């Protein structure tokens, strides 16, 4: 098959690799119908994630069709259309029993495209399939559904839930990339008083306004002063870091109010300074986290019912074999206006349901 292979910092290639095979009874082999690129993949490409070694097939988000299952798989079977979660869960270890699948110690956690071959390929092996893939309803298009593999559960769990967003809160999201925009959407579910989005790209700030941000500000044009003005000098109740660079994290700690919460979502490749000389007296809570995807079934139901807007996040579509071009466009988002790219075949066709009302 063809797959996108990491060849070392700054180098990837769409090339021939061996087909995946069932290795454990709980495995499933999934034909990839739609896949996307994550900001974490760009961090890997930069060399920020040393656990990813040359030769690894990248990617941890996909929608596809099950083609083969191991003998222990019970919840899906060949022919089923599924969402492949970015997190794999053994279901047996202490953390899985607490629904903290991101910290799985039984062979799961974030392994796809990290410590085992991932989803940016024609086929992928998914371990622990019963807990790591989700059957998809016909009503959800594959390109929309792939957003539930990572960015929506990550923004919701690591940003909104860890940040404890409450009604009437002032919420600031630093970074209006895919994760930050999904954080704007999911924070809005809790009726905050205002949501402020911060970014360097005007195209992403425009997207944030369209998706529910009440105010936007360029990161180079005084976001801290704007937040101070909006809160009478107090600071924001919740600040989410969705960039993954030290400057963004340190900005977040300066914008939070006493007793407020800073939720770090971004993947960091360099140390950030924690100014405890200023923060120790402010009762500030700082959270970090890897997504668990425990919220995925709920978010999937919301998308199926039309309660989770997603179309505005998808700005570019490519054929699966155009992976290198897609990386180029996504990696130059400030120039291309890319928010989220989708790769794969034609959109999923919804099965029509006959109208039987006249027969009642």
């Amino acid at each position: 098959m063809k797959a996108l292979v990491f060849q070392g910092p700054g180098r990837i290639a769409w090339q021939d690799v061996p087909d995946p095979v069932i290795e454990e009874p709980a495995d499933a082999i999934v034909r990839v119908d739609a896949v996307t690129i994550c900001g974490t993949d760009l961090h890997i490409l930069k060399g920020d994630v040393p656990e990813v070694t040359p030769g690894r097939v990248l990617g941890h988000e996909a929608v596809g069709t099950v083609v083969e299952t191991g003998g222990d798989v019970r919840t899906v079977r060949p022919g089923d259309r599924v969402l492949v979660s970015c997190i794999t869960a053994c279901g047996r270890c202490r953390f899985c029993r607490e629904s903290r699948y991101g910290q799985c110690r039984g062979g799961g956690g974030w392994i796809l495209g990290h410590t085992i071959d991932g989803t940016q390929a024609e086929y992928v092996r998914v371990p622990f399939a019963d807990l790591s893939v989700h059957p998809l309803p016909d009503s959800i298009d594959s390109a929309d559904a792939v957003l539930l593999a990572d960015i929506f559960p990550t923004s919701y769990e690591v940003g909104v839930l860890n940040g404890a967003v409450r009604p009437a809160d002032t919420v600031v999201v630093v970074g209006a990339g895919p994760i930050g925009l999904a954080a704007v959407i999911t924070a809005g579910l809790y009726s905050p008083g205002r949501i402020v989005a911060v970014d360097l790209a005007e195209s992403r700030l425009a997207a944030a306004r369209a998706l529910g941000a009440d105010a936007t500000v360029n990161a180079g044009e005084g976001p801290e002063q704007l937040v101070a003005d909006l809160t009478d000098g107090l600071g924001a109740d919740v600040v989410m870091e969705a960039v993954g660079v030290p400057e963004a994290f340190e900005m977040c700690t300066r914008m939070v109010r006493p007793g407020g919460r800073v939720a770090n979502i971004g993947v960091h490749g360099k140390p950030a300074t924690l100014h405890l000389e200023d923060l120790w007296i402010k009762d500030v809570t700082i959270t970090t986290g890897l997504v668990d995807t425990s919220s995925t079934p709920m978010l999937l139901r919301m998308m199926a019912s039309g309660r989770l807007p997603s179309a505005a996040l998808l700005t570019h579509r490519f054929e699966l074999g155009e992976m290198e071009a897609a990386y180029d466009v996504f990696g130059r988002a400030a120039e291309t206006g890319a928010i989220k790219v989708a790769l794969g075949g034609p959109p999923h066709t919804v099965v029509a349901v006959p109208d039987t009302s006249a027969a009642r």
Side-chain angles (χ1 to χ4, degrees):
M1 70 171 184
K2 294 285 189 180
L4 195 283
V5 179
F6 177 66
Q7 298 185 331
R11 295 182 292 121
I12 51 175
W14 180 251
Q15 65 185 59
D16 289 321
V17 300
D19 291 344
V21 297
I22 297 292
E23 298 180 12
E24 300 290 342
D27 289 351
I29 305 298
V30 176
R31 184 193 71 216
V32 174
D33 299 327
V35 70
T36 187
I37 302 169
C38 180
T40 303
D41 295 320
L42 298 183
H43 281 281
I44 292 171
L45 189 55
K46 288 165 57 180
D48 289 345
V49 188
E51 297 85 2
V52 180
T53 55
R56 177 68 62 223
V57 175
L58 298 184
H60 50 267
E61 307 160 85
V63 167
T65 303
V66 177
V67 296
E68 186 180 0
T69 57
D72 288 351
V73 177
R74 296 289 179 267
T75 61
V76 293
R77 60 185 180 180
D80 285 351
R81 181 168 165 264
V82 296
L83 170 71
V84 179
S85 175
C86 66
I87 296 297
T88 304
C90 79
R92 298 186 299 269
C93 71
R94 168 184 171 175
F95 292 108
C96 283
R97 288 177 179 273
E98 296 173 357
S99 297
R100 297 184 62 188
Y101 307 127
Q103 303 301 322
C104 174
R105 291 297 183 268
W110 173 36
I111 57 175
L112 289 171
H114 185 204
T115 57
I116 69 170
D117 287 339
T119 59
Q120 290 170 6
E122 294 177 322
Y123 293 87
V124 60
R125 179 180 73 91
V126 183
F128 306 115
D130 281 338
L131 285 173
S132 306
V133 302
H134 302 269
L136 283 174
D138 290 331
S139 60
I140 303 181
D141 180 78
S142 295
D144 292 332
V146 79
L147 300 178
L148 295 171
D150 185 351
I151 68 166
F152 270 115
T154 294
S155 63
Y156 180 65
E157 296 173 15
V158 185
V160 176
L161 294 186
N162 280 2
V165 175
R166 295 185 289 236
D169 275 354
T170 292
V171 177
V172 178
V173 180
V174 177
I179 290 288
L181 293 174
V184 169
I185 293 170
T186 52
L189 301 174
Y190 288 80
S191 300
R194 62 172 67 89
I195 300 174
V196 181
V198 181
D199 203 277
L200 286 168
E202 179 51 41
S203 60
R204 293 190 165 189
L205 294 177
R209 291 190 291 272
L211 292 169
D214 301 287
T216 59
V217 58
N218 189 288
E221 297 177 0
E224 296 169 51
Q225 186 59 54
L226 174 65
V227 171
D229 292 343
L230 291 172
T231 60
D232 295 326
L234 190 64
D237 301 285
V238 182
V239 187
M240 302 182 203
E241 199 281 344
V243 183
V245 298
E247 297 81 5
F249 173 78
E250 292 165 29
M251 178 192 295
C252 290
T253 63
R254 293 193 297 269
M255 289 194 290
V256 69
R257 67 164 172 83
R261 287 89 66 196
V262 174
N264 183 88
I265 313 173
V267 177
H268 287 261
K270 297 178 180 179
T273 301
L274 183 62
H275 287 283
L276 286 176
E277 73 278 11
D278 298 322
L279 293 171
W280 75 270
I281 202 170
K282 293 178 65 176
D283 297 342
V284 170
T285 298
I286 298 174
T287 60
T288 64
L290 175 65
V291 63
D292 294 312
T293 66
S294 57
S295 66
T296 300
M298 179 271 289
L299 293 168
L300 202 158
R301 292 194 300 271
M302 289 188 67
M303 182 174 282
S305 63
R307 306 277 182 174
L308 200 63
S310 59
L313 296 174
L314 289 169
T315 55
H316 294 73
R317 291 184 183 240
F318 297 86
E319 296 297 324
L320 194 60
E322 298 177 302
M323 192 71 70
E324 292 173 78
Y327 260 84
D328 178 62
V329 168
F330 187 61
R332 295 186 297 109
E335 303 169 44
T336 63
I339 296 176
K340 198 69 172 171
V341 302
L343 301 96
H348 173 68
T349 301
V350 177
V351 177
V353 178
D355 184 359
T356 59
S357 58
R360 294 179 187 149

